[in-house]
Amino acid sequence: MSIAPIPSIAPALPPAATVSPAGRSAASAAAPGDSPGDSFGDKVTNALDGLAASHAEVDRLAVQAATGDLTAVHDFTIAASEAQLLTELTVEVRNRAVEAFNDIMRMQV
């Protein structure tokens, strides 16, 4: 009894695929909407604008829910959870930045 070989079903990688140490390709290493030339301040500003937009969307959906115009309650629940997580992330990043600043200020020169 002879067993036939299994044909290869794995897709071929593109020839110019470079992988960063973190395991992601170089093209996907940056966050969506960020260009490589953005400064840290620009990235923080973009993140805070995204947080504000998320809260604005939750407010809009809450008004629709209160007036009875909201057809899909799960949209409001998902948006509210996302806004809560973004807020918690922002607060934690702020706390870490303040902690790092305080550590630097305590260093002796």
Side-chain angles (χ1 to χ4, degrees):
M1 179 172 155
S2 170
I3 299 176
I6 299 175
S8 175
I9 58 172
L13 291 175
T18 56
V19 178
S20 66
R24 298 186 300 176
S25 68
S28 67
D34 289 343
S35 65
D38 283 348
S39 69
F40 178 74
D42 292 337
K43 291 182 182 187
V44 170
T45 302
N46 291 341
L48 291 176
D49 289 343
L51 176 64
S54 175
H55 280 280
E57 176 70 11
V58 170
D59 291 343
R60 185 184 66 78
L61 291 172
V63 168
Q64 286 182 353
T67 59
D69 296 333
L70 186 65
T71 57
V73 178
H74 66 276
D75 288 339
F76 172 71
T77 305
I78 292 169
S81 297
E82 181 179 291
Q84 179 183 3
L85 285 173
L86 287 173
T87 302
E88 290 174 6
L89 174 66
T90 303
V91 169
E92 190 60 33
V93 168
R94 187 228 30 208
N95 290 344
R96 296 286 176 108
V98 169
E99 184 180 326
F101 174 78
N102 289 332
D103 287 345
I104 290 170
M105 296 308 291
R106 281 190 290 248
M107 286 183 181
Q108 294 182 359
V109 179

